Amino acid sequence: MRRSLISLIVCMLCLFAANAVLAGGGGPPKNLIKGFFLRVDSDNTALFKKDVTGQEIVLKLSQDIKPEDVPLNRKVLVTLKTEGHKITDEVKRISIMFINLPVSKVVALLVVGLIGGLLSGFIGSGGAFVLTPSMMSLGVPGAVAVASNMCHKFPKAMVGAYKRWKYGQADIKLGIIMAASAIVGVQIGIQIQKYILDHWGNAGSNLYVSLMFVIILVVVGTYVFYDAFKLKKGGKEAQVTRLARALQNINLPPMVHFKQAGIRISLWFTVPVGVATGMLAATIAVGGFIGVPGLIYVIGASAMVASATELVIAFVMGMWGSIQWGLSGLIDIRLTLLILAASLFGVQLGALGTTYVKDYMIKIVMGAVMLIVSVSRGAKIPGYLADLGLRSPLSPEKAVFYDAISFWSLVAALATAGIIISAAMIKGMLQARAETS
């Protein structure tokens, strides 16, 4: 009883830290305003209508912005110049917030949502490392893709977590404790994204998201892939890593026992994994491919339990993050609903598939998709660097070449995920049927 009480107090302290230390998580930076440009005048001023309030104000265009480049009657995010602590009325940067959605993009979003749902149910990552790059490839600004993706995540994660709990795979206690520290990470991540938007706009956000994807996907994906093939070659079930065993042997109160995961470990060792998961979830809309490996290699859970428990974490922090991003006005509800509609179907199929496969297959899918997606995001980095003036502009031929690499590698990632998961599920179902007949 005393240990449970201490655990609860630590979780509450994490929540208070998220609000007290990182106060101001809701709402955009002061020099960012959302709304519509109604007209541009010859003296390089523009009439701007603020979103929500409807107030009309006159803004000055900086020398870098040409009047013909100002989008009229499109919802935009405007960054105003600052002088010291004073916000001026001069426009520093204009970013279109919400893309047009023709039928082709609607269909593409539904397909992406279905594959993302399969991944979410199968490996417990939420599928965001496929969804966010896919949305950005369709023209969605990085910050809007992150916010909209996070909003769609928590109801989908709730469905997946319930399914996996019914199969006896999810450790609810571990998920809730991890989620408490993940919320602190969410607050940190939101502040990082806002700082980048404030100083470098959508171009900076796109570059940051892509760089983070490439670095983390390559590092984590390579290790998970290596571990999966080592496990398959050995023909044994996954063993607890040396790091996890060492941490479990350290008696640092409060010690917590997680029955479903079969783990007894200090609560303090769960905090770094939770914070990292939440921070990445808020900054680049992914947390699962840190959360799941963290649960496996640091905490010591099996791949099956880790992938299921991460869905519990994704539900809690996704709901919290959605509220924060909603206050910032960066969620495109159209994208959220389209992806959610398809992914809710996919997540149930993915969760069903886990009952017919071994641990190493989950890791193979995770590692393969991560490495392929890293190529897709890496191909976009030269263009983002050029947008920020950090390198010479790309020639039209190079721009087309990089876009083609990004698009087709993303298609390959989606196809790989769908084929491997479907094949594993069908094979497992046939084997199960043969054994029972």
Side-chain angles (χ1 to χ4, degrees):
M1 179 66 183
R2 187 177 67 177
R3 289 174 179 172
S4 299
L5 182 60
I6 294 174
S7 301
L8 180 60
I9 291 173
V10 172
C11 291
M12 292 302 296
L13 287 175
C14 288
L15 295 179
F16 286 134
N19 283 309
V21 178
L22 301 168
K30 299 297 183 182
N31 67 329
L32 289 183
I33 55 175
K34 299 184 293 295
F36 305 83
F37 281 101
L38 301 179
R39 72 168 187 266
V40 180
D41 299 324
S42 57
D43 59 350
N44 265 22
T45 61
L47 184 63
F48 185 82
K49 184 177 182 179
K50 287 186 176 182
D51 193 25
V52 181
T53 64
Q55 177 188 4
E56 294 184 4
I57 58 176
V58 176
L59 300 175
K60 298 177 183 178
L61 302 180
S62 66
Q63 295 180 350
D64 299 330
I65 300 176
K66 299 178 181 179
E68 58 268 24
D69 293 335
V70 177
L72 299 179
N73 298 313
R74 293 284 304 277
K75 193 168 186 179
V76 295
L77 189 67
V78 173
T79 305
L80 299 177
K81 286 190 174 182
T82 57
E83 296 177 355
H85 296 290
K86 182 181 178 182
I87 300 173
T88 70
D89 60 354
E90 183 176 353
V91 178
K92 177 181 178 182
R93 189 178 294 108
I94 302 172
S95 303
I96 295 176
M97 290 184 62
F98 303 137
I99 63 171
N100 292 323
L101 285 179
V103 175
S104 59
K105 288 190 177 180
V106 171
V107 173
L109 285 167
L110 290 173
V111 172
V112 167
L114 177 63
I115 301 297
L118 278 172
L119 281 168
S120 176
F122 194 75
I123 67 178
S125 72
F129 61 85
V130 166
L131 294 175
T132 302
S134 298
M135 292 163 73
M136 292 176 67
S137 294
L138 292 172
V140 181
V144 175
V146 168
S148 303
N149 197 354
M150 197 167 197
C151 183
H152 107 280
K153 182 186 294 185
F154 79 88
K156 181 183 71 176
M158 178 180 67
V159 174
Y162 176 70
K163 284 282 184 181
R164 301 291 292 273
W165 174 73
K166 284 185 66 178
Y167 298 144
Q169 299 171 357
D171 192 310
I172 302 298
K173 182 180 178 181
L174 176 59
I176 292 175
I177 288 177
M178 291 279 291
S181 56
I183 288 175
V184 179
V186 168
Q187 293 295 98
I188 296 172
I190 289 175
Q191 293 298 327
I192 292 173
Q193 268 285 15
K194 286 181 178 180
Y195 181 85
I196 293 171
L197 277 173
D198 183 12
H199 289 76
W200 298 285
N202 274 335
S205 178
N206 290 339
L207 177 62
Y208 170 73
V209 170
S210 297
L211 280 173
M212 290 293 289
F213 262 112
V214 172
I215 293 170
I216 297 172
L217 285 173
V218 169
V219 173
V220 178
T222 300
Y223 186 82
V224 170
F225 215 25
Y226 167 76
D227 190 50
F229 276 104
K230 185 173 67 174
L231 180 61
K232 182 181 180 182
K233 186 178 179 180
K236 300 177 181 179
E237 289 301 309
Q239 301 294 316
V240 178
T241 64
R242 291 181 181 178
L243 174 60
R245 284 200 302 269
L247 294 179
Q248 290 173 17
N249 289 330
I250 297 175
N251 188 15
L252 180 62
M255 300 293 292
V256 186
H257 177 248
F258 301 106
K259 183 178 179 181
Q260 187 61 44
I263 298 168
R264 184 177 181 272
I265 193 170
S266 171
L267 180 69
W268 297 109
F269 295 136
T270 69
V271 173
V273 178
V275 170
T277 301
M279 188 176 72
L280 287 172
T283 51
I284 58 177
V286 294
F289 67 68
I290 285 295
V292 174
L295 286 166
I296 295 172
Y297 302 117
V298 179
I299 306 302
S302 68
M304 194 75 71
V305 172
S307 61
T309 302
E310 207 285 326
L311 290 171
V312 179
I313 303 170
F315 164 63
V316 177
M317 71 179 181
M319 181 169 60
W320 178 274
S322 296
I323 294 172
Q324 300 298 301
W325 281 122
L327 293 173
S328 298
L330 292 173
I331 295 175
D332 188 337
I333 195 64
R334 304 169 304 162
L335 305 181
T336 297
L337 293 177
L338 284 171
I339 292 177
L340 180 61
S343 63
L344 281 176
F345 177 70
V347 73
Q348 298 187 60
L349 291 178
L352 177 63
T354 60
T355 62
Y356 298 105
V357 299
K358 295 183 178 180
D359 271 5
Y360 73 81
M361 182 57 66
I362 296 177
K363 293 180 179 180
I364 286 177
V365 173
M366 186 188 302
V369 177
M370 283 181 178
L371 293 176
I372 298 173
V373 172
S374 69
V375 176
S376 175
R377 276 298 91 200
K380 300 295 288 185
I381 289 176
Y384 296 144
L385 290 171
D387 292 340
L388 289 168
L390 299 176
R391 59 154 293 164
S392 58
L394 297 178
S395 64
E397 294 79 13
K398 282 188 176 180
V400 171
F401 175 72
Y402 286 131
D403 286 343
I405 292 178
S406 177
F407 175 78
W408 287 111
S409 57
L410 189 60
V411 170
L414 295 173
T416 299
I419 292 171
I420 293 179
I421 293 174
S422 299
M425 184 167 59
I426 293 171
K427 181 181 178 181
M429 291 175 68
L430 292 176
Q431 289 178 347
R433 183 176 298 178
E435 291 173 359
T436 56
S437 62

